[in-house]
Amino acid sequence: MTDLFTRHRPLLESALKALETREFWTPFPEVPSEKIYGETAKDEGESTYAALLGAAFDLPGHPEEGRVGAEVSPWGPALGITYPAAAPETLIAASDAASPGLADASVEARTGALLEALVRLNRMSFLLGHATMHTTGQAFAMAFQAGGPHAQDRGLEALAMAYSELTRSARDAVWEKPQGRHAPLVIEKHWAQVPRGIALTVGCNTFPTWNGYPGIFASLATGNPVIVKPHPRAILPLALTVRVLREVFAEAGLPQDAVLLAADAPGAEITRELATDERVALIDYTGSTAFADWIRANSRAQVFTEEAGVNSVTITGTNDFAGMCANLAFSLSLYSGQMCTSPQNIYIPRGGIETDEGHKSFDEVAAGLTAAIDALLSDPDRAAGVCGTIVNPATLERVASARGAGRVVRDSGQTGHGRSATPLLIAVEGEDGPQNEECFGPVSFLVPCDGAEEAIARAAGIARRKGAITAALYAADDALVTRAAQAFAQAGVNLSVNLTGNIYVNQSAAFSDFHVTGANPAGNASLTDTAFVAPRFRRVMIRWPKAA
Amino acid sequence: MTDLFTRHRPLLESALKALETREFWTPFPEVPSEKIYGETAKDEGESTYAALLGAAFDLPGHPEEGRVGAEVSPWGPALGITYPAAAPETLIAASDAASPGLADASVEARTGALLEALVRLNRMSFLLGHATMHTTGQAFAMAFQAGGPHAQDRGLEALAMAYSELTRSARDAVWEKPQGRHAPLVIEKHWAQVPRGIALTVGCNTFPTWNGYPGIFASLATGNPVIVKPHPRAILPLALTVRVLREVFAEAGLPQDAVLLAADAPGAEITRELATDERVALIDYTGSTAFADWIRANSRAQVFTEEAGVNSVTITGTNDFAGMCANLAFSLSLYSGQMCTSPQNIYIPRGGIETDEGHKSFDEVAAGLTAAIDALLSDPDRAAGVCGTIVNPATLERVASARGAGRVVRDSGQTGHGRSATPLLIAVEGEDGPQNEECFGPVSFLVPCDGAEEAIARAAGIARRKGAITAALYAADDALVTRAAQAFAQAGVNLSVNLTGNIYVNQSAAFSDFHVTGANPAGNASLTDTAFVAPRFRRVMIRWPKAA
């Protein structure tokens, strides 16, 4: 077991260093290249994925009382995969039974096994890319990155942070208190690291691995068995993950059932039963605020959430109008606004802005954005590659009803591939309207404001009230940027300023960007800070007088 | 401001090192000696205390809408001190107004000021000893230690842990992502550390400074203004603390109102109004489980608690019967069982135990404890010096009613000084009875068990169900100790094994012992681990492309 830890120790050490410096670092290449992943990796990924379709997914030794599975690719075909299913009580009992074995294993044994699992998952990134593509509806390039290496980065980040916490203070000490002229008091002390209990990860439909790995790896590293409850439309990426973890655990002498899959059927979800079981002590949840509220009200567990929010762009001026429009066009189109980091509201001074191309009126800014989106999506294949598909049919209804909320600046269209919708831009007037709530999907509201300061105040205000994970600002005035920085910091939202070129407000890089601040209603936890891992275990001491 | 940080940096560095090694360390001597604290320290402490009596306590610049104060020393006299009082809304508004100034100050400015405050408080330890003695009813030696240097240790520990968290990752970074043959993406990043909001510390009657300092110093270090709500019977030690903090803050250019005193009158407490104000984001609470439950149900704040519990001693055998009895006699008598770490239930095999003095029956063990207590308390002055007084008259009623719960093994008596009660030992039979709940004060239940294993199981079981901060075990069998260690660790309670001589289960040393584990109902937080400080602030980023 410790062999795995020794083998992967350099990887862990590099991750620990990156956590401190917050500079660019990743061990998991994001480019789906056969030069990097091996000549056969692409073909193997495709053929392995194809072989899974229409078949029973094998999870050796996993509790099984039936089979579920109704995944349909937003790109078209049904997956036809069935997964082992079991009643909540069965899963919790199995998890409970695995608890002592996981808790009693050394930090090094658990950490080594989890590092090995991440390395194996990385080798499977093409397969994970296909699995992610056909459950989330992302285009392949994005699915490869977000479902594979970027998720692995986030898992490693959480694992390293947990390891850092577990080893932060001595596990054994000799406490020697002087007693003046008398012999000192000498006490030996040992601290056991006691996990909190069963951890439940409630996966989301859009980024099952990326949003799931931090909690899964943090809980396992700190000794808590994990029940992975995937979204019923996005089981496969997490089922593959659970299989790898169980395989590595078995090889490492750790209890396989420390990682369980709680697959369920749409309309017959078992999340509530799992979340309210008193043996469940930790819940990692990504999803709606309404269900997060329900969990908080009904579960005794400590809950870590990412919830709804209203992300914003505030445009007050730019020295690169074309670059700004191109950058925002990509941010608005990417995965059709179905990222938790996608901008929704775009605040623009009613009187327009100054740019390198001269003054631009509100309508000219809107037209610039529209033209940039149209240009980006002019080729259907490229449009599908950027927009992917719409994962939830309800999103199409939201797009349809949003059309009536104001003046249509750019209408939503289709890419021609799968269930798709390109960005809808709506200009809205006044304080009230749908721009004051999350409108998940490819809908953006252009909001005219009485000048730059009001635009910033409104963007920061909605982040504070409704939550936000990202905010973008375009400004040519340094003093304005400074004031905005303070406003957005007080609203607890990460701010990206004057992004052009190949870096987007949607992007959140592991080891550098803390994803979600925990400081506004968009989530109470941050990936991955100390507060995300430290409460997952407790230290319990035994002390005794040192033998003379 | 930074001068204070520079001046006290060696102190901080030593504290940070101690947090890791968990070895003995303290900068604040616990001995009330004029050789250490200066020739005039003792007299000055006494005279300063005397001058405070019967007068209006001065808190320059503090909100004041009236005066309250009804403290009466459990040793006899009324203190006659009045404190400035203000409505909750007034206090919260003043705290809110001080928020930006505290939040905007640098980590170093806040940390330096707080280190300076601790050093000044340490110099006042004799005064704090008298203030603690006459509000908590502790004997002077204990009041000096617990109210002075030991509390200062805990404050410094929390401050150092907060500083460690605040500086754990870079506050600025240049993120440079390779782009193959193209120029790298280069993004500059800065993280603001955003406090959570107003912090409320709800003080207790027995250890106002020791239990209060960790939350106060952790919240202030992380930039949250603190409202200190003392127990109406124990205002003075915290009022002195608030005054020192406000003085140092004013000198350091930090807002004075970042530390406020919320003094109130018995029967007209303002805790509920403060706790439920939505601007209050953090609450540190020491007290009953019932009120902790109320806070959790009614406040939006993150709550850190120390609550009720049932501490235990399990006696399965010893190689030093006399040493064990003497040690436990002190633990049971110290401050008349009014410590959150005082043992309550004593589990003993019905068939007795093996000792260095041969077999001892259950009754002989009980007799040994009784004799040791009687010997310890035979001299009235010494008895008062160990037992102190009873701080809350309700405790005397609890002692009286506990007498009827079983067979009186040793009756409670008086020391002859102040409102006092020496240990009551009651032998109880069966599973049900008052031993299953906290019986705060000098009451211990001797519980006969069917052997050592059952004794351990019952002690661990009640810790798990009802909470416990301490557990003591006496055992001559190493294998039994190993099994017990696991049982108590799973119950989340710190275990002391075979203590004899001058170290007691009641004692919890800063920088080494984590006080309360957070792993059973006796509290959800641990003094002072990462989970206690990390959630008190959030990191919010601003990022922008680096200028070429």
Side-chain angles (χ1 to χ4, degrees):
Chain A
M1 286 187 285
T2 308
D3 287 356
L4 291 174
F5 182 77
T6 306
R7 189 190 308 166
H8 297 302
R9 186 155 198 161
L11 178 64
L12 178 64
E13 299 289 349
S14 298
L16 289 166
K17 182 162 166 286
L19 284 180
E20 287 179 15
T21 67
R22 315 309 295 182
E23 293 172 0
F24 176 82
W25 181 76
T26 173
F28 302 127
E30 69 177 8
V31 183
S33 156
E34 293 160 285
K35 283 187 196 154
I36 296 168
Y37 281 92
E39 278 187 24
T40 59
K42 186 164 177 291
D43 290 345
E44 278 176 16
E46 279 176 23
S47 61
T48 309
Y49 175 70
L52 291 171
L53 298 175
F57 189 89
D58 193 24
L59 271 181
H62 194 280
E64 179 169 347
E65 295 166 350
R67 285 262 156 186
V68 296
E71 292 160 303
V72 178
S73 173
W75 295 98
L79 274 58
I81 307 175
T82 64
Y83 304 90
E89 175 56 36
T90 306
L91 295 169
I92 285 173
S95 191
D96 211 27
S99 290
L102 190 67
D104 291 347
S106 69
V107 170
E108 291 73 19
R110 290 194 303 257
T111 305
L114 292 167
L115 288 164
E116 171 68 15
L118 284 167
V119 169
R120 290 193 197 178
L121 287 165
N122 181 244
R123 279 191 225 121
M124 293 164 47
S125 291
F126 277 93
L127 171 58
L128 286 163
H130 290 290
T132 302
M133 175 178 177
H134 290 291
T135 49
T136 69
Q138 293 167 18
F140 180 76
M142 182 179 185
F144 176 92
Q145 292 190 350
H150 289 178
Q152 294 143 19
D153 281 343
R154 283 288 178 194
L156 178 57
E157 182 184 33
L159 174 57
M161 188 57 100
Y163 178 81
S164 172
E165 268 308 297
L166 288 160
T167 56
R168 182 177 186 133
S169 64
R171 286 177 265 181
D172 295 279
V174 177
W175 185 82
E176 186 167 331
K177 182 178 180 179
Q179 298 288 288
R181 291 175 204 159
H182 302 285
L185 287 175
V186 187
I187 306 290
E188 294 194 75
K189 305 184 178 188
H190 171 75
W191 287 270
Q193 293 164 323
V194 180
R196 296 296 295 277
I198 295 173
L200 173 67
T201 289
V202 182
C204 64
N205 199 171
T206 46
F207 292 92
T209 57
W210 197 95
N211 275 99
Y213 283 8
I216 293 170
F217 281 84
S219 284
L220 290 172
T222 49
N224 307 279
V226 176
I227 298 176
V228 179
K229 212 313 279 177
H231 191 284
R233 277 197 295 265
I235 301 173
L236 185 57
L238 289 172
L240 289 164
T241 304
V242 167
R243 184 154 76 186
V244 168
L245 283 164
R246 290 172 60 89
E247 280 168 6
V248 176
F249 276 22
E251 294 169 29
L254 298 171
Q256 275 201 311
D257 284 353
V259 194
L260 295 172
L261 183 72
D264 55 15
E269 286 87 352
I270 59 175
T271 320
R272 286 170 201 257
E273 276 179 85
L274 290 169
T276 52
D277 191 288
E278 65 172 16
R279 289 162 287 183
V280 171
L282 299 166
I283 297 179
D284 288 277
Y285 172 77
T286 309
S288 75
T289 302
F291 198 71
D293 285 340
W294 186 90
I295 291 175
R296 277 186 282 263
N298 291 281
S299 170
R300 65 168 279 274
Q302 175 147 3
V303 187
F304 304 88
T305 69
E306 178 182 318
E307 307 172 44
V310 179
N311 301 322
S312 67
V313 180
T314 305
I315 301 177
T316 70
T318 174
N319 294 324
D320 181 2
F321 184 72
M324 176 187 80
C325 290
N327 187 278
L328 287 176
F330 189 83
S331 282
L332 296 171
S333 302
L334 186 63
Y335 192 26
S336 292
Q338 295 166 104
M339 302 176 73
C340 55
T341 52
S342 299
Q344 176 180 307
N345 289 1
I346 304 178
Y347 296 94
I348 307 167
R350 195 182 306 280
I353 60 167
E354 300 307 315
T355 80
D356 57 319
E357 301 179 11
H359 182 83
K360 297 276 184 184
S361 69
F362 178 92
D363 284 344
E364 285 169 336
V365 174
L369 290 173
T370 299
I373 294 170
D374 290 343
L376 176 68
L377 307 182
S378 58
D379 174 72
D381 287 347
R382 185 173 178 199
V386 174
C387 294
T389 64
I390 298 297
V391 64
N392 187 338
T395 300
L396 295 180
E397 296 166 26
R398 247 191 322 269
V399 172
S401 78
R403 272 196 192 93
R407 175 166 57 90
V408 173
V409 171
R410 180 189 188 278
D411 203 358
S412 177
Q414 298 192 340
T415 65
H417 297 271
R419 180 171 60 221
S420 69
T422 67
L424 173 70
L425 302 189
I426 300 282
V428 291
E429 277 290 346
E431 295 280 337
D432 299 330
Q435 71 272 20
N436 293 319
E437 301 291 338
E438 181 180 88
C439 184
F440 192 76
V443 178
S444 286
F445 300 103
L446 308 186
V447 184
C449 302
D450 294 337
E453 303 283 352
E454 199 219 22
I456 290 165
R458 287 180 72 173
I462 198 159
R464 197 168 50 243
R465 291 192 310 276
K466 296 291 176 175
I469 294 177
T470 64
L473 172 70
Y474 289 87
D477 173 351
D478 284 349
L480 188 70
V481 172
T482 301
R483 290 196 297 279
Q486 187 149 24
F488 286 103
Q490 282 170 1
V493 58
N494 292 324
L495 179 65
S496 297
V497 180
N498 291 334
L499 295 189
T500 58
N502 196 23
I503 176 84
Y504 305 99
V505 67
N506 321 39
Q507 294 173 322
S508 176
F511 299 103
S512 184
D513 300 324
F514 293 96
H515 177 70
V516 187
T517 64
N520 69 45
N524 71 3
S526 181
L527 305 182
T528 301
D529 68 4
T530 326
F532 185 74
V533 301
R536 293 176 198 257
F537 72 99
R538 299 297 189 186
R539 292 177 188 83
V540 185
M541 175 181 64
I542 175 171
R543 63 181 179 181
W544 63 94
K546 187 174 165 73
Chain B
M1 288 188 285
T2 306
D3 285 357
L4 290 175
F5 183 76
T6 305
R7 188 191 307 166
H8 296 302
R9 186 155 198 160
L11 177 63
L12 178 63
E13 299 288 349
S14 298
L16 289 166
K17 183 164 164 284
L19 284 181
E20 287 179 15
T21 67
R22 314 309 293 183
E23 292 172 1
F24 175 83
W25 181 75
T26 173
F28 301 127
E30 70 176 7
V31 184
S33 155
E34 293 160 284
K35 284 186 194 155
I36 297 167
Y37 281 92
E39 278 187 24
T40 59
K42 186 165 176 289
D43 290 346
E44 279 177 16
E46 279 177 23
S47 61
T48 309
Y49 175 70
L52 291 171
L53 299 175
F57 188 90
D58 194 25
L59 270 180
H62 194 280
E64 179 168 348
E65 296 166 349
R67 285 264 155 186
V68 295
E71 292 160 304
V72 177
S73 172
W75 294 97
L79 274 58
I81 307 174
T82 64
Y83 304 89
E89 175 57 35
T90 306
L91 294 170
I92 286 172
S95 192
D96 210 28
S99 289
L102 191 67
D104 292 347
S106 69
V107 171
E108 291 72 20
R110 290 194 304 257
T111 305
L114 292 167
L115 288 165
E116 171 68 15
L118 285 167
V119 169
R120 290 192 197 179
L121 286 165
N122 181 246
R123 279 191 223 119
M124 294 164 47
S125 291
F126 277 93
L127 171 58
L128 286 162
H130 290 291
T132 302
M133 175 179 177
H134 290 292
T135 50
T136 69
Q138 293 167 17
F140 180 77
M142 183 179 183
F144 176 92
Q145 292 190 349
H150 290 178
Q152 294 143 19
D153 281 342
R154 284 289 178 194
L156 178 57
E157 182 185 33
L159 173 57
M161 188 58 99
Y163 178 82
S164 172
E165 268 309 295
L166 289 161
T167 56
R168 182 176 187 135
S169 64
R171 284 178 267 183
D172 295 280
V174 176
W175 184 83
E176 186 167 329
K177 182 177 180 179
Q179 298 288 290
R181 291 175 203 161
H182 302 286
L185 288 174
V186 187
I187 306 290
E188 294 193 74
K189 305 185 178 188
H190 171 74
W191 287 271
Q193 292 163 325
V194 180
R196 297 295 296 276
I198 295 173
L200 173 66
T201 289
V202 182
C204 65
N205 199 170
T206 47
F207 292 91
T209 56
W210 197 95
N211 274 99
Y213 283 9
I216 293 170
F217 281 84
S219 285
L220 290 172
T222 49
N224 307 278
V226 175
I227 298 176
V228 180
K229 213 312 280 176
H231 192 284
R233 277 197 294 264
I235 301 173
L236 184 56
L238 288 172
L240 289 164
T241 304
V242 167
R243 184 153 77 186
V244 168
L245 284 164
R246 289 171 61 88
E247 280 169 6
V248 176
F249 276 21
E251 293 170 29
L254 297 171
Q256 275 201 309
D257 284 352
V259 194
L260 294 172
L261 184 72
D264 55 15
E269 286 87 353
I270 59 176
T271 320
R272 286 170 201 257
E273 275 179 86
L274 291 168
T276 51
D277 191 288
E278 66 172 16
R279 289 162 288 183
V280 171
L282 299 165
I283 298 179
D284 288 276
Y285 172 76
T286 309
S288 75
T289 302
F291 198 72
D293 284 340
W294 186 91
I295 292 174
R296 277 186 282 262
N298 291 280
S299 170
R300 67 168 276 275
Q302 176 147 3
V303 187
F304 303 87
T305 69
E306 178 183 317
E307 307 171 42
V310 180
N311 301 321
S312 67
V313 180
T314 305
I315 301 177
T316 69
T318 174
N319 293 324
D320 181 1
F321 184 72
M324 175 188 81
C325 291
N327 186 277
L328 287 175
F330 190 84
S331 281
L332 296 172
S333 303
L334 186 63
Y335 191 26
S336 293
Q338 295 167 103
M339 302 176 73
C340 55
T341 52
S342 299
Q344 176 179 308
N345 289 0
I346 304 177
Y347 296 94
I348 308 167
R350 197 183 303 279
I353 60 168
E354 299 308 315
T355 80
D356 57 320
E357 301 179 10
H359 182 82
K360 297 277 186 185
S361 69
F362 179 91
D363 284 345
E364 285 167 337
V365 174
L369 290 173
T370 300
I373 295 169
D374 290 344
L376 176 68
L377 307 181
S378 58
D379 173 73
D381 286 349
R382 187 174 175 198
V386 174
C387 294
T389 64
I390 298 297
V391 63
N392 187 337
T395 300
L396 296 180
E397 296 166 26
R398 247 193 319 271
V399 172
S401 78
R403 272 197 192 93
R407 176 167 56 92
V408 174
V409 170
R410 181 189 187 277
D411 203 358
S412 177
Q414 298 191 341
T415 64
H417 296 269
R419 180 172 57 223
S420 69
T422 67
L424 172 71
L425 302 190
I426 299 283
V428 292
E429 277 290 344
E431 296 279 338
D432 300 329
Q435 71 272 21
N436 293 320
E437 300 291 338
E438 181 179 88
C439 183
F440 192 75
V443 178
S444 286
F445 300 103
L446 308 187
V447 184
C449 302
D450 295 337
E453 303 283 353
E454 199 220 23
I456 290 164
R458 287 180 70 174
I462 198 159
R464 198 168 50 243
R465 290 193 310 277
K466 295 291 176 174
I469 295 177
T470 64
L473 172 70
Y474 290 88
D477 174 351
D478 285 348
L480 188 71
V481 173
T482 301
R483 290 196 297 279
Q486 187 150 23
F488 286 103
Q490 283 170 359
V493 58
N494 292 323
L495 179 65
S496 298
V497 180
N498 291 333
L499 296 189
T500 57
N502 196 23
I503 176 83
Y504 305 99
V505 66
N506 320 40
Q507 294 173 321
S508 176
F511 299 104
S512 184
D513 299 324
F514 294 96
H515 177 69
V516 188
T517 64
N520 68 45
N524 71 3
S526 181
L527 307 181
T528 301
D529 68 3
T530 327
F532 185 74
V533 302
R536 293 176 197 257
F537 71 99
R538 299 297 189 186
R539 292 177 188 83
V540 185
M541 176 181 63
I542 175 171
R543 62 181 179 181
W544 63 92
K546 188 175 167 71

